[in-house]
């Protein structure tokens, strides 16, 4: 994306009234499809569109990807990743860049977790199955489950933050659907526990996860996995999202 096109896109976004909470600034973490502090594993074959990275742990914690180092030793490639692979033990400036990136991820998590006041408190006692969710700040003092399909409805400029003190679990073969122009890049799931997306299920949004994220066989995500422990994939598809209000915060990094 050129600087001109990016500026034009941001101008279009700014010209439309938006509903929902203020954007969470992802910083450099917004340039990764998957980011983890303690490891990323795949049971091949997964398909990831976007960069992946681990820090402070070393590249030995990236397993199942058959990594191939580039000539500078600053990054690696994998046939399962359309993008670059980074780790804390690669050549400079990668370690320093990752330290900043991990810090940005943690800042974004703290920001999302601290937002008040909620527009919706403990909606459905944490059961989002069958619901249509408009823009806003949703707070849950529990785990959240998605046992049946749910829908997120809004404009391309609208935003959502889902705060939960427990886990986020999605049943096998279920879907989070977007309608009305809602964008995955404008949806943040702040999860104090772990995330588990069941086999064949499809998720949408930015996952800011305090612990682990597990994607079961043939599951998929349109969004980002930003996890403070491990990420495990089983023949999963992760695609970084299109530009939205949250991603726009990282515009200076992308150009």
């Amino acid at each position: 994306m050129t600087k001109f096109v990016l500026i034009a896109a941001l101008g279009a976004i700014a010209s439309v009234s938006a509903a929902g909470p203020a954007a969470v600034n992802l910083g450099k973490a917004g340039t990764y499809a998957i980011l983890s502090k303690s490891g990323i594993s795949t049971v091949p074959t997964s398909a990831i569109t976007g960069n992946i990275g681990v820090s402070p742990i070393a590249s030995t914690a990236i397993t199942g990807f058959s990594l191939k180092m580039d000539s500078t030793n600053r990054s690696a490639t994998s046939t399962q990743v359309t993008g670059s692979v980074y780790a804390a033990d690669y050549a400079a400036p990668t370690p320093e860049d990752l330290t900043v990136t991990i810090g940005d991820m943690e800042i974004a998590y703290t920001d999302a977790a601290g937002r008040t006041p909620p527009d919706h408190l403990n909606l459905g006692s944490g059961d989002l199955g069958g619901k249509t969710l408009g823009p806003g700040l949703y707070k849950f003092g529990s785990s959240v489950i998605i046992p049946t399909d749910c829908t997120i409805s809004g404009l391309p400029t609208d935003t959502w933050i889902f705060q939960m003190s427990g886990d986020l679990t999605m049943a096998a073969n279920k879907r989070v659907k977007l309608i009305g122009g809602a964008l995955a890049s404008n949806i943040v799931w702040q999860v104090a526990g772990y995330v588990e997306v069941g086999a064949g299920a499809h998720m949408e949004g930015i996952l800011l996860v305090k612990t682990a994220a597990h994607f079961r066989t043939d599951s998929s995500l349109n969004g980002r996995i930003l996890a403070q422990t491990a990420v495990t994939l089983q023949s999963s598809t992760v695609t970084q999202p299109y530009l939205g209000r949250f991603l726009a915060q990282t515009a200076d990094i992308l150009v």
Side-chain angles (χ1 to χ4, degrees), residues 86-113:
Y86 298 95
D89 59 335
Y90 289 173
T94 298
E96 293 81 4
D97 288 345
L98 281 170
T99 296
V100 173
T101 302
I102 291 292
D104 287 348
M105 174 180 73
E106 294 173 333
I107 290 168
Y109 177 91
T110 300
D111 178 17

Side-chain angles (χ1 to χ4, degrees), residues 52-136:
I52 71 172
V54 297
S55 179
I57 203 163
S59 58
T60 51
I62 305 175
T63 61
F65 286 94
S66 301
L67 297 179
K68 181 179 179 180
M69 292 298 300
D70 76 356
S71 59
T72 67
N73 291 322
R74 295 174 180 172
S75 65
T77 59
S78 168
T79 57
Q80 298 177 71
V81 180
T82 303
S84 297
V85 181
Y86 298 95
D89 59 335
Y90 289 173
T94 298
E96 293 81 4
D97 288 345
L98 281 170
T99 296
V100 173
T101 302
I102 291 292
D104 287 348
M105 174 180 73
E106 294 173 333
I107 290 168
Y109 177 91
T110 300
D111 178 17
R115 295 297 184 89
T116 58
D119 300 302
H120 307 276
L121 181 62
N122 297 322
L123 179 69
S125 300
D127 183 346
L128 298 184
K131 291 182 172 54
T132 298
L133 307 168

Side-chain angles (χ1 to χ4, degrees), residues 192-233:
Y194 63 81
V195 171
E196 180 164 338
V197 177
H202 176 75
M203 186 65 178
E204 297 272 353
I206 311 301
L207 300 175
L208 286 169
V209 190
K210 185 68 172 179
T211 61
H214 307 294
F215 278 71
R216 304 307 182 191
T217 304
D218 295 328
S219 59
S220 59
L221 169 72
N222 179 31
R224 304 180 191 276
I225 309 173
L226 307 177
Q228 296 187 38
T229 62
V231 176
T232 62
L233 310 173

